[in-house]
Amino acid sequence: MTSTTPFPTGTILGYPRIGRRRELKKAVEAFWAGKISVDELEATAAELRSVTRERLAALGLGRTDSSIPEAFSFYDQVLDTAVAVGAVPTRFERLVKSDGTVDLAGYFTIARGEGHDVPADMTKWFDSNYHYLVPEIGPDTKLHLASDRRVREVAEATTSGFRTRPVLVGPVTFLLLSKPSLDAPEGYLPLDRLDDLLPIYAELLAAFTAAGAEWVQLDEPALVSESIDVPRDVVLAATKRAYDLLGASAVRPSIFVAAPYGSLDDALPVLIDTPVEAIGVDLVKGDLPSGVTTDKVIVGGVIDGHNIWRGDLAAAFASLESLKSISPNVAVSTSTSLFHVPHDIDDEPLLGDQLKSWLAFADQKVGQVATLAKGLTEGKAAIQTELDAASDALADRHAAAGVRDGAVRERAAKLSEADFSRGPYTARLAAQEAALHLPFLPTTTIGSFPQTAEIRKSRAAFAKGEITEEQYNEAMRNEIRSVVELQENIGIDVIVHGEPERNDMVQYFAENLDGFAVTQNGWVQSYGSRCTRPSILWGDVSRPAPITVEWSTFTQSLTSKPVKGMLTGPVTILAWSFVRDDQPLRDTANQVALALRDEIEDLEAAGIGIIQVDEPALRELLPLKKKDHDDYLDWSVGSFRLATAGVKDKTQIHTHLCYSEFSVVIDAIDKLDADVTSIEAARSKMDVVHDIKSSGFGRGIGPGVYDIHSPRVPSIEEISDLIEIALGSIPERQVWVNPDCGLKTRGYDETVESLTNVLAATRAARDKASV
């Protein structure tokens, strides 16, 4: 029996799950620290789910029409699905109880690792700044229904008077995002297990029905991506098989397949030809479908779930009207889950009223969905006032001071090819070797050191006016003195200042550049309990004054070793901000690059001989459609080169990248023309070095040997093995030794122990090479 309840006219694909004041983050970390029990953590989570349902109902979604999604997660939705279907990595099989389940403590262990058992791999979720945990599935992985947590959450909602819509990662996307287990044979694909997985999904669908669900949402963003390393015809055949079989389930809710982050293209007719009842199309990143007709519900994702602009509501409504040429049954939704944006613009008292009038956070976007749903039901005239108000705000934004700066645009217009190029690498290498005198296997860190409670306390006191600027600066200088002394005692070759003065690697620069605004409560989830506050890039960008020079020169005064100046690159500043949507990203990136170019040249003039420009998000913004790759790689690489091309040959430019599939952008990494590139590699056991070797990459490279996203302390032997793997594939003169990423989120005890082991392993490798 299949539910026949109509699909709601308006809905969202998901909502922020961390809490308006990061209640989930705080509770989860308290549980990890042993400060609260599992029952207390579960109670906090249940309260957050209840508050979310009530809030969404108050904003205009229905209590009993399945418009409210049930999409909570303690850590990650892909990990949730893996645990639900029994896809537990072999090294964590000890966590599986006799009844086949994994408890909450075991769930977190898979995410974070324990002892010698490394956590699941982590990488970017499509073209967003969210990170998911990569499932490991082999031919012998014992797939079975191992958790009914989502079913219990649906029952919880039903008991409290709601009829919600459970959300799961769809079966095709789940398997396409998985990687083969270590013991899988050559040529094996996790997608080969589709027929074993589908009966488990069918069990879940039946359980959802029993719990009161009338609709289920299966997220299939992999269907819009051309970056999946599986032939498209195989993906489409798997999609047809999956939804034919699930659609034929004897007892199930109606099925809504959502496909955020781009156009479904040739997957749309495939889905139309299955028994699913509703299909979601992203009309923000994707194109309006054409050439197909259906009587299924087409859910138009016209409200941008990935950015915070109020947008053109009249154009969004027009897109929904156009969908009626495809299906008479049209509904409205957000383009993606709203967990990519903060909760509420009304919770930002420090932002100016004009800027706030241009913005829509999650709550405002729910309101926009409700408005457009009313228009679909009652006609455009019923919402004309709201449409006009949004259009007026758009016009005001376009004309506002600072959105367009004549001097910034004139400088960008005068750029020539010479502004994007440095001299030959051979000449630069010789000049740098003469200037820096670094040893074989030089060691460094990525930039940040642990942000202690004392640092945060000083920052908060300064913000509240409780201490003077000089008192604050002295507190930061004391921390820098301590960090420099620590690095010298451990034996690190290239020193960093530890970035104590920076609250965030993007926000810090946003606070010091014109054209940006920062939020007070605009938190979004990056991974697990890690949250960030993306800045708002609303206008033309320029640098009114030097930003980092004073801190770097102070650090250099403390040591005879080279100090590395630390900047965030233009692509990452864009990727980790909410960026203006009224001009091409290329233009915005070049504006940011020119501001950074000024900073780099000032650092060089102040005697800083090594400057790192971090670009961890280079892969993140790569479009999901191949036709868009060349243009993106051209402007993203170009903006980095524009920022860094003004220095002398003897100044060594570093960059850093993390948590991405590097093979996809290895050529672009090479074209950045950085003298040294550090990359994440520890968690994947140096998988990336094979791509480096085959590409012929010829400049300095530092594949990470210490996974800083886990609290584990890697042993000397483990690090030595990784260094050996790197030296086996990369010419030894190129290899640097460093952690995967910055140390901001780690504690000092584990950091000191881990870095000490890194240096011990490095010395052993040096001794071995000298024999």
Side-chain angles (χ1 to χ4, degrees):
M1 181 180 70
T2 303
S3 168
T4 57
T5 303
F7 192 81
T9 308
T11 189
I12 60 175
L13 299 191
Y15 187 77
R17 55 205 187 198
I18 58 174
R20 297 171 77 86
R21 291 294 182 271
R22 296 175 292 159
E23 292 90 344
L24 181 61
K25 167 192 172 66
K26 295 169 185 175
V28 165
E29 291 178 356
F31 174 69
W32 293 343
K35 297 177 180 178
I36 65 171
S37 68
V38 67
D39 290 341
E40 290 173 299
L41 176 58
E42 291 278 16
T44 297
E47 176 63 18
L48 281 173
R49 291 192 295 269
S50 176
V51 167
T52 292
R53 296 182 199 114
E54 292 290 348
R55 179 64 174 167
L56 291 176
L59 291 168
L61 298 187
R63 288 177 173 267
T64 59
D65 65 357
S66 303
S67 61
I68 294 177
E70 200 69 58
F72 177 82
S73 177
F74 278 101
Y75 198 98
D76 169 51
Q77 68 271 15
V78 182
L79 177 61
D80 294 347
T81 305
V83 170
V85 303
V88 175
T90 303
R91 62 190 176 280
F92 292 118
E93 285 182 346
R94 68 181 188 280
L95 303 174
V96 180
K97 297 184 175 182
S98 58
D99 61 359
T101 64
V102 174
D103 64 16
L104 199 52
Y107 168 94
F108 288 129
T109 298
I110 296 170
R112 305 177 73 226
E114 182 178 71
H116 293 292
D117 294 325
V118 298
D121 279 357
M122 187 165 64
T123 194
K124 300 289 187 178
W125 175 254
F126 297 92
D127 59 350
S128 77
N129 186 33
Y130 179 76
H131 308 62
Y132 72 93
L133 291 167
V134 181
E136 301 168 22
I137 299 176
D140 300 321
T141 301
K142 298 173 183 177
L143 299 178
H144 63 285
L145 183 54
S147 172
D148 65 349
R149 180 174 287 277
R150 181 70 83 226
V151 177
R152 286 183 276 123
E153 291 167 358
V154 172
E156 171 189 273
T158 302
T159 301
S160 59
F162 285 84
R163 186 80 67 180
T164 57
R165 184 180 72 249
V167 180
L168 290 177
V169 177
V172 178
T173 291
F174 175 71
L175 291 175
L176 288 174
L177 295 184
S178 300
K179 73 174 190 176
S181 60
L182 289 176
D183 58 354
E186 188 73 23
Y188 164 83
L189 295 173
L191 191 61
D192 297 343
R193 299 295 306 275
L194 181 65
D195 286 348
D196 300 318
L197 182 65
L198 291 176
I200 303 169
Y201 270 75
E203 283 186 75
L204 279 168
L205 296 188
F208 286 145
T209 298
E214 295 176 334
W215 281 87
V216 63
Q217 176 180 321
L218 298 177
D219 286 340
E220 292 285 9
L223 300 186
V224 313
S225 175
E226 295 175 359
S227 298
I228 302 292
D229 194 22
V230 175
R232 185 66 174 175
D233 60 334
V234 174
V235 173
L236 295 178
T239 302
K240 183 72 165 68
R241 179 165 181 76
Y243 287 100
D244 277 347
L245 289 175
L246 292 179
S249 299
V251 178
R252 66 172 177 84
S254 296
I255 297 174
F256 166 39
V257 178
Y261 307 106
S263 297
L264 273 167
D265 298 331
D266 52 0
L268 179 57
V270 172
L271 286 170
I272 286 175
D273 195 35
T274 69
V276 304
E277 285 77 19
I279 302 169
V281 292
D282 183 341
L283 298 183
V284 174
K285 289 283 187 74
D287 302 321
L288 195 70
S290 62
V292 292
T293 57
T294 181
D295 60 358
K296 298 181 187 296
V297 179
I298 300 297
V299 185
V302 296
I303 299 300
D304 191 351
H306 208 180
N307 211 332
I308 46 78
W309 301 104
R310 186 173 178 178
D312 189 339
L313 212 56
F317 187 75
S319 293
L320 294 172
E321 292 284 274
S322 297
L323 282 179
K324 292 179 180 178
S325 66
I326 297 168
S327 171
N329 303 305
V330 173
V332 57
S333 75
T334 52
S335 62
T336 69
S337 170
L338 293 174
F339 84 122
H340 294 300
V341 299
H343 274 82
D344 188 0
I345 189 60
D346 291 333
D347 202 18
E348 296 297 336
L350 301 184
L351 293 181
D353 289 342
Q354 184 180 36
L355 177 59
K356 288 169 68 172
S357 74
W358 306 340
L359 305 177
F361 287 3
D363 285 4
Q364 287 70 43
K365 289 178 184 291
V366 177
Q368 289 181 317
V369 165
T371 294
L372 295 179
K374 180 180 179 181
L376 287 174
T377 302
E378 302 179 19
K380 183 178 180 180
I383 61 169
Q384 192 62 55
T385 298
E386 291 88 344
L387 301 183
D388 290 344
S391 297
D392 290 345
L394 202 61
D396 177 65
R397 176 182 161 201
H398 181 80
V403 172
R404 286 165 177 77
D405 183 316
V408 171
R409 291 174 178 252
E410 182 180 1
R411 185 183 182 191
K414 292 179 178 179
L415 293 172
S416 67
E417 287 188 20
D419 295 309
F420 294 82
S421 298
R422 298 180 69 192
Y425 176 64
T426 51
R428 291 170 6 218
L429 178 62
Q432 291 161 20
E433 288 179 340
L436 297 172
H437 306 293
L438 295 171
F440 169 60
L441 294 179
T443 57
T444 190
T445 64
I446 302 306
S448 63
F449 267 65
Q451 290 260 324
T452 64
E454 290 75 17
I455 293 173
R456 292 191 293 271
K457 182 179 178 180
S458 294
R459 185 179 298 123
F462 179 51
K464 294 175 183 177
E466 296 172 354
I467 61 174
T468 66
E469 182 175 5
E470 179 52 35
Q471 288 173 315
Y472 170 75
N473 288 341
E474 184 57 25
M476 297 303 103
R477 285 192 288 265
N478 286 336
E479 178 66 18
I480 292 170
R481 291 184 183 101
S482 176
V483 166
V484 170
E485 182 180 8
L486 171 63
Q487 293 171 88
E488 291 198 318
N489 289 342
I490 291 173
I492 293 173
D493 300 304
V494 174
I495 304 298
V496 299
H497 78 290
E499 304 176 12
E501 80 288 359
R502 304 185 191 185
N503 45 17
D504 175 84
M505 65 182 292
V506 171
Q507 182 177 334
Y508 177 73
F509 289 93
E511 290 172 340
N512 288 280
L513 294 171
D514 288 340
F516 283 88
V518 297
T519 66
Q520 183 176 1
N521 298 305
W523 297 101
V524 298
Q525 186 180 19
S526 177
Y527 67 88
S529 68
R530 172 81 170 125
C531 302
T532 64
R533 280 185 298 162
S535 302
I536 301 168
L537 198 169
W538 60 268
D540 283 350
V541 177
S542 59
R543 186 195 70 147
I547 303 169
T548 67
V549 177
E550 182 178 351
W551 298 114
S552 294
T553 53
F554 171 73
T555 307
Q556 188 64 80
S557 73
L558 302 175
T559 179
S560 60
K561 291 185 174 183
V563 166
K564 184 166 57 171
M566 301 299 308
L567 306 177
T568 303
V571 176
T572 299
I573 287 178
L574 265 61
W576 295 356
S577 299
F578 294 122
V579 178
R580 61 188 301 177
D581 59 355
D582 60 341
Q583 69 179 18
L585 286 176
R586 176 189 298 269
D587 294 349
T588 306
N590 281 348
Q591 290 180 4
V592 175
L594 286 170
L596 293 174
R597 185 182 180 110
D598 294 342
E599 185 73 13
I600 291 169
E601 291 179 2
D602 283 348
L603 282 167
E604 181 184 58
I608 303 302
I610 302 178
I611 301 168
Q612 181 169 305
V613 182
D614 285 341
E615 283 293 18
L618 181 69
R619 169 65 177 84
E620 177 182 315
L621 285 187
L622 184 74
L624 300 182
K625 302 298 185 183
K626 290 181 179 178
K627 64 181 177 61
D628 300 321
H629 284 190
D630 287 348
D631 180 65
Y632 166 73
L633 293 173
D634 180 66
W635 70 253
S636 60
V637 169
S639 67
F640 180 90
R641 292 174 66 121
L642 176 60
T644 58
V647 297
K648 299 179 176 67
D649 285 355
K650 70 176 182 178
T651 298
Q652 191 172 76
I653 295 294
H654 288 223
T655 192
H656 167 67
L657 302 97
C658 63
Y659 292 103
S660 294
E661 299 87 351
F662 297 107
S663 59
V664 179
V665 291
I666 191 70
D667 289 341
I669 295 171
D670 189 34
K671 289 176 182 176
L672 293 176
D673 199 28
D675 299 304
V676 178
T677 301
S678 57
I679 52 176
E680 178 275 330
R683 190 175 284 203
S684 66
K685 299 294 185 184
M686 290 283 167
D687 278 352
V688 71
V689 300
H690 306 296
D691 296 320
I692 294 169
K693 180 179 181 180
S694 61
S695 72
F697 191 88
R699 291 182 293 283
I701 188 80
V705 297
Y706 162 26
D707 174 17
I708 66 85
H709 290 280
S710 168
R712 291 178 64 250
V713 173
S715 67
I716 296 172
E717 293 75 18
E718 180 182 338
I719 298 167
S720 294
D721 289 344
L722 295 177
I723 293 174
E724 186 174 343
I725 292 170
L727 291 173
S729 294
I730 305 169
E732 61 182 32
R733 68 164 183 83
Q734 294 176 232
V735 178
W736 284 61
V737 180
N738 46 258
D740 273 345
C741 200
L743 301 166
K744 175 182 176 180
T745 60
R746 301 269 55 92
Y748 257 108
D749 288 345
E750 67 194 81
T751 294
V752 171
E753 187 176 354
S754 297
L755 290 179
T756 299
N757 288 353
V758 168
L759 265 293
T762 303
R763 292 186 187 105
R766 288 170 178 167
D767 291 343
K768 184 177 179 180
S770 66
V771 174

